[in-house]
Amino acid sequence: MPPAIFYDLETSDRLPVGQILNYAFVAVDDHYQTLSQLTGSIRLSRLQLPRAGAILSNRIDVLEHQEKYDELEKPHLQSIAEFINNYAKKAGDYKVTLIGYNSSGFDLDYLRTSMIRNGINPYFKVTNRDVYLAVQYLYTSNQDFYEKLSADATRNEQEISFKLATIARVFKLLEGEQSHESLADTELTVKLAQTLDAGFDFDVRTHETYDPFALQHAQPGTIIQRLLRSKAKPTEITKVKYCLQSAKFKQGLWINLDTFAKLKAENSAKSMLSWLKADKSSVVIDREFIPTLEDRESAKLAQLRCAGISLDNYFEETDCDIEQFIYRVAPNEIAPLEALFNGTKQSSQISNDIRTLHQRYRLTYYTLGSSADEQMREALKSYALYRYGGKMKISKSPKAELAEKDFHPTYQALVEEINSGLKNASPSDRVLLESLLNFYENSEIAAALK
């Protein structure tokens, strides 16, 4: 088996338009023993104002961070790419597995966004896995695992939680609070993966948490029964029937037949469709389920209702900010983007998204006092008014009717988050929030907004 690389990112924001503050990548052998590791901390760029919630979570004193670290994103991201690619090359025809905890829902997209905006190709020869999805899968499919989580929740008079710290405490891998420091969290994820392997014969490096992928010959019209166990009512397992509408490698567009039965004629066909994908979804299927004649008739009607909808046209083009959906930059655009950043390619005939990334790259890396200083100050002001003036759309929804939550918080809203946190802050939280507020007030963004 090729080495696996476990990783974790601590960031300035939940939104990928933020940035990585520190990271850890740990390569392990078949026995989960460390082969090598790469860690680092990244200086905040002039474009970034960290969110109060992120700082309280990762416990980073922003002013100390800025004093201690000089390098911005690009050299760190180049080192990460080199680290992953070195192992990918050694693996030959096999793929290295890249593993995190809730990485499919957060870290992977964050890493790809950070790399692409620096002209680095993030599409390595790897297989992506997520221990969080493994926990979800085992909770539904493995009675011993479910009973262990359920007993712990009952004993501690709390709801069942899939947080890394909670699961780690259940298996006595963690005492006290989770550090939320990238290397410590990565090492904790390795220990948890090793525990799941030894205790439940579940190897996160090779096991698929997307059961329908095991149906090698699944074609449109295939009917499955999905098993779902609620965290609120863990003793109950819900059974939901799905019919495959459209499929591509390791992903499928599935019709919820239960929803179809309840839909009225005027309801949108999309409302009964679910996009499920390997490495993104935990889907447990009932292997003993046999569709009835009624199920097959229902599936045929549902497919007719969804005729014309496939994976090729299911996702509508979004007009959100490019860093909120970096996948609008096609893989074949990354090399030209890097050439543009390096000054070896002219900026004519490029898309608006590429033009936006190019401008932000220049804003991030220009040096004060340079010949382009005045021009860049004006560009920085425009960026500040766009992002921190409430004009940056962060919602991926293409709907015309937009609410305040669909846009990036304003500078004033971010300051109010800090002040709200200060009202009842513990002494240690107060230090972090006051440091963050000081950073805000002396930032180039604040100066540009005046």
Side-chain angles (χ1 to χ4, degrees), residues 170-234:
V170 169
F171 293 103
K172 303 187 186 313
L173 304 175
L174 177 68
E175 294 183 5
E177 296 300 314
Q178 183 182 356
S179 70
H180 288 289
E181 190 277 327
S182 53
L183 180 57
D185 283 359
T186 301
E187 291 173 339
L188 189 59
T189 303
V190 173
K191 290 178 183 177
L192 178 54
Q194 188 174 16
T195 299
L196 298 183
D197 196 346
F200 302 96
D201 194 26
F202 189 102
D203 190 336
V204 70
R205 297 167 297 184
T206 58
H207 200 290
E208 293 284 355
T209 57
Y210 177 66
D211 256 0
F213 183 59
L215 303 175
Q216 296 291 340
H217 304 292
Q219 299 291 328
T222 297
I223 303 171
I224 63 169
Q225 184 160 262
R226 183 181 182 184
L227 305 179
L228 297 163
R229 190 194 294 274
S230 166
K231 290 191 289 183
K233 296 180 179 179

Side-chain angles (χ1 to χ4, degrees), residues 15-18 109-110 112-114 116-118 123 317-330 333-334 337 341 351-361 383 386 391-396:
L15 304 175
V17 71
D109 289 342
Y110 221 107
R112 286 175 173 172
T113 300
S114 300
I116 290 174
R117 72 180 177 211
N118 283 277
Y123 299 111
E317 187 172 344
T318 175
D319 60 351
C320 69
D321 187 83
I322 180 58
E323 291 184 74
Q324 280 299 106
F325 189 66
I326 202 68
Y327 301 103
R328 286 205 304 260
V329 177
E333 291 182 289
I334 297 172
L337 182 62
F341 290 170
S351 69
N352 288 334
D353 286 335
I354 298 297
R355 188 173 288 106
T356 295
L357 291 174
H358 182 217
Q359 177 73 336
R360 293 179 190 176
Y361 180 87
Y383 179 83
Y386 167 69
K391 298 176 183 178
M392 175 186 278
K393 185 183 175 188
I394 59 174
S395 170
K396 296 176 185 176

Side-chain angles (χ1 to χ4, degrees), residues 120-282:
I120 300 168
N121 192 336
Y123 299 111
F124 311 107
K125 194 182 78 171
V126 299
T127 298
N128 294 291
R129 291 284 190 270
D130 191 334
V131 182
Y132 173 75
L133 294 180
V135 167
Q136 287 185 316
Y137 184 91
L138 286 169
Y139 176 70
T140 301
S141 64
N142 188 292
Q143 185 67 16
D144 291 340
F145 186 86
Y146 150 68
E147 289 179 357
K148 196 166 185 63
L149 261 62
S150 183
D152 180 79
T154 302
R155 184 168 54 250
N156 292 288
E157 297 182 343
Q158 61 187 19
E159 291 185 4
I160 291 174
S161 168
F162 293 157
K163 290 182 178 179
L164 174 59
T166 304
I167 304 299
R169 289 192 194 100
V170 169
F171 293 103
K172 303 187 186 313
L173 304 175
L174 177 68
E175 294 183 5
E177 296 300 314
Q178 183 182 356
S179 70
H180 288 289
E181 190 277 327
S182 53
L183 180 57
D185 283 359
T186 301
E187 291 173 339
L188 189 59
T189 303
V190 173
K191 290 178 183 177
L192 178 54
Q194 188 174 16
T195 299
L196 298 183
D197 196 346
F200 302 96
D201 194 26
F202 189 102
D203 190 336
V204 70
R205 297 167 297 184
T206 58
H207 200 290
E208 293 284 355
T209 57
Y210 177 66
D211 256 0
F213 183 59
L215 303 175
Q216 296 291 340
H217 304 292
Q219 299 291 328
T222 297
I223 303 171
I224 63 169
Q225 184 160 262
R226 183 181 182 184
L227 305 179
L228 297 163
R229 190 194 294 274
S230 166
K231 290 191 289 183
K233 296 180 179 179
T235 56
E236 299 178 8
I237 290 185
T238 303
K239 298 180 178 181
V240 184
K241 295 173 185 176
Y242 284 87
C243 169
L244 185 60
Q245 170 69 7
S246 176
K248 285 185 178 180
F249 180 64
K250 289 194 175 187
Q251 60 180 307
L253 199 57
W254 293 86
I255 304 171
N256 185 321
L257 294 179
D258 293 353
T259 302
F260 169 68
K262 300 171 185 176
L263 279 182
K264 296 179 180 179
E266 63 269 19
N267 287 121
S268 166
K270 274 196 172 183
S271 61
M272 61 181 171
L273 288 167
S274 296
W275 175 65
L276 302 172
K277 183 179 186 297
D279 312 328
K280 285 279 189 182
S281 311
S282 173

Side-chain angles (χ1 to χ4, degrees), residues 76-89:
H76 289 274
L77 296 169
Q78 288 172 327
S79 296
I80 292 170
E82 183 179 357
F83 184 84
I84 296 172
N85 278 324
N86 281 343
Y87 277 100
K89 289 175 183 176

Side-chain angles (χ1 to χ4, degrees), residues 292-398:
T292 65
L293 179 60
E294 184 180 354
D295 292 332
R296 297 187 186 282
E297 290 301 319
S298 178
K300 287 179 182 178
L301 292 173
Q303 284 185 285
L304 286 173
R305 182 75 180 277
C306 295
I309 304 176
S310 70
L311 285 167
D312 293 327
N313 59 22
Y314 176 72
F315 297 100
E316 297 180 61
E317 187 172 344
T318 175
D319 60 351
C320 69
D321 187 83
I322 180 58
E323 291 184 74
Q324 280 299 106
F325 189 66
I326 202 68
Y327 301 103
R328 286 205 304 260
V329 177
N332 62 3
E333 291 182 289
I334 297 172
L337 182 62
E338 181 183 17
L340 182 64
F341 290 170
N342 294 337
T344 56
K345 177 180 175 64
Q346 297 301 311
S347 59
S348 60
Q349 296 183 337
I350 59 174
S351 69
N352 288 334
D353 286 335
I354 298 297
R355 188 173 288 106
T356 295
L357 291 174
H358 182 217
Q359 177 73 336
R360 293 179 190 176
Y361 180 87
R362 294 179 64 211
L363 281 173
T364 298
Y365 295 102
Y366 91 87
T367 303
L368 286 171
S370 66
S371 58
D373 194 42
E374 189 58 36
Q375 177 190 357
M376 296 310 291
R377 285 184 187 277
E378 284 300 313
L380 181 61
K381 183 175 182 177
S382 295
Y383 179 83
L385 289 169
Y386 167 69
R387 177 172 174 180
Y388 299 103
K391 298 176 183 178
M392 175 186 278
K393 185 183 175 188
I394 59 174
S395 170
K396 296 176 185 176
S397 172

